[in-house]
Amino acid sequence: MKRAVLWCSLFSVTLWLFSCRTQLHHHINKGQYYEVDASIIADSSIINYYAPYKAKLEAEMNRVVGYANDHVTRNRNAPESLMGNFFADGLLWKGRLLDPEVQASFATKDGIRADINAGDITVGNIFEIMPFENVVSILTLRGVDMLRLADYMVKTGGQPVSGIKLIIENGKIKEFLVQGKPIDPNAHYKLVTYDYLANGGDYIKFFDSPIAREDYTQLLRETLMEYVLDLKKQGKHVKSQLDGRVQIIK
């Protein structure tokens, strides 16, 4: 008897689901579709409403904050790149302003989303480089965690850093220096990065147990903008170079 009741219940549910699917399918077939193309006439009232905001936004995005002598390029297949070095140097510059004890900076290749073309650098260019709402983070790490960072760089073929020198030979660490000195596993180091990576983004695990962590309200792209503006105030242009901070010897 119980089995019969169960089968009846299952049969009822099946009929109900089938009915719902049939009704849903029938409703979709009755839908009306509109093609969005150039034949649609723009609503002038809407255009007039947003036009002032659009003009203001474009003016800000086109504002020049600096100048690049040459094309500053990314290269995800190389241990270091012009863009990666510029990015990491700007991050270290800001980290030291926030905390003079900061010794190094760390970013990832995938986090840098655009090059800098030769010529004027605009606010819009900086947004293209870093479109995300990431903020600056300063971590106090143990020497052993810095070595884990180096291992990650070995496995991923190098990442953007500043204040660090890493030489990789035959898939192993040959030399790893912070501010020109070998890592002391028992020492503490201050490193500046951004919250996405500090939270474990890009499969990063070596930031999982910092001695201390400080997140700032400073957006990463604001940091890059300030760095370029500071160079401009000094009468300097953005001029990145490959300096061997990350090397792979096969």
Side-chain angles (χ1 to χ4, degrees), residues 46-81:
I46 295 177
I47 293 175
N48 292 336
Y49 177 79
Y50 73 70
Y53 301 99
K54 182 174 181 287
K56 185 176 181 180
L57 177 62
E58 288 179 345
E60 174 60 16
M61 288 295 142
N62 291 327
R63 179 167 62 90
V64 175
V65 294
Y67 188 90
N69 288 335
D70 303 295
H71 187 187
V72 183
T73 56
R74 296 167 294 161
N75 187 342
R76 294 181 180 180
N77 297 317
E80 65 172 317
S81 70

Side-chain angles (χ1 to χ4, degrees), residues 151-166:
D151 286 335
Y152 176 87
M153 291 179 65
V154 170
K155 293 176 182 176
T156 57
Q159 296 293 344
V161 291
S162 188
I164 287 173
K165 182 176 182 180
L166 175 64

Side-chain angles (χ1 to χ4, degrees), residues 105-108 139-156 159-161 164 176 191 193 197-211:
S105 67
F106 174 84
T108 58
L139 307 176
T140 303
L141 302 172
R142 298 173 181 82
V144 290
D145 291 323
M146 291 295 290
L147 290 171
R148 291 169 68 198
L149 180 154
D151 286 335
Y152 176 87
M153 291 179 65
V154 170
K155 293 176 182 176
T156 57
Q159 296 293 344
V161 291
I164 287 173
F176 182 43
L191 177 142
T193 184
L197 299 183
N199 292 336
D202 283 354
Y203 306 100
I204 286 173
K205 297 180 180 179
F206 46 84
F207 291 151
D208 55 3
S209 57
I211 296 169

Side-chain angles (χ1 to χ4, degrees), residues 1 52 182 190 207:
M1 180 66 179
K190 283 196 174 182
F207 291 151

Side-chain angles (χ1 to χ4, degrees), residues 8-178:
C8 287
S9 299
L10 290 173
F11 182 70
S12 299
V13 170
T14 303
L15 285 177
W16 179 78
L17 290 172
F18 180 78
S19 175
C20 290
R21 290 179 61 188
T22 303
Q23 290 176 13
L24 180 62
H25 181 70
H26 183 66
H27 177 71
I28 291 175
N29 286 342
K30 281 190 172 182
Q32 188 170 0
Y33 297 91
Y34 297 90
E35 187 173 351
V36 179
D37 55 25
S39 66
I40 297 177
I41 300 174
D43 189 327
S44 60
S45 63
I46 295 177
I47 293 175
N48 292 336
Y49 177 79
Y50 73 70
Y53 301 99
K54 182 174 181 287
K56 185 176 181 180
L57 177 62
E58 288 179 345
E60 174 60 16
M61 288 295 142
N62 291 327
R63 179 167 62 90
V64 175
V65 294
Y67 188 90
N69 288 335
D70 303 295
H71 187 187
V72 183
T73 56
R74 296 167 294 161
N75 187 342
R76 294 181 180 180
N77 297 317
E80 65 172 317
S81 70
L82 295 174
M83 191 64 208
N85 288 356
F86 160 78
F87 192 98
D89 288 346
L91 189 54
L92 181 58
W93 170 83
K94 185 62 183 183
R96 285 176 168 168
L97 289 179
L98 294 169
D99 185 341
E101 294 183 356
V102 168
Q103 298 157 284
S105 67
F106 174 84
T108 58
K109 299 172 184 177
D110 290 339
I112 304 173
R113 294 307 177 99
D115 297 348
I116 294 177
N117 293 321
D120 288 338
I121 302 171
T122 66
V123 172
N125 296 148
I126 303 297
F127 267 80
E128 291 171 350
I129 295 168
M130 176 47 64
F132 311 110
E133 299 299 298
N134 298 141
V135 297
V136 174
S137 298
I138 293 180
L139 307 176
T140 303
L141 302 172
R142 298 173 181 82
V144 290
D145 291 323
M146 291 295 290
L147 290 171
R148 291 169 68 198
L149 180 154
D151 286 335
Y152 176 87
M153 291 179 65
V154 170
K155 293 176 182 176
T156 57
Q159 296 293 344
V161 291
S162 188
I164 287 173
K165 182 176 182 180
L166 175 64
I167 299 178
I168 304 166
E169 186 173 24
N170 296 322
K172 296 181 179 179
I173 299 171
K174 180 179 181 181
E175 184 178 51
F176 182 43
L177 308 176
V178 174

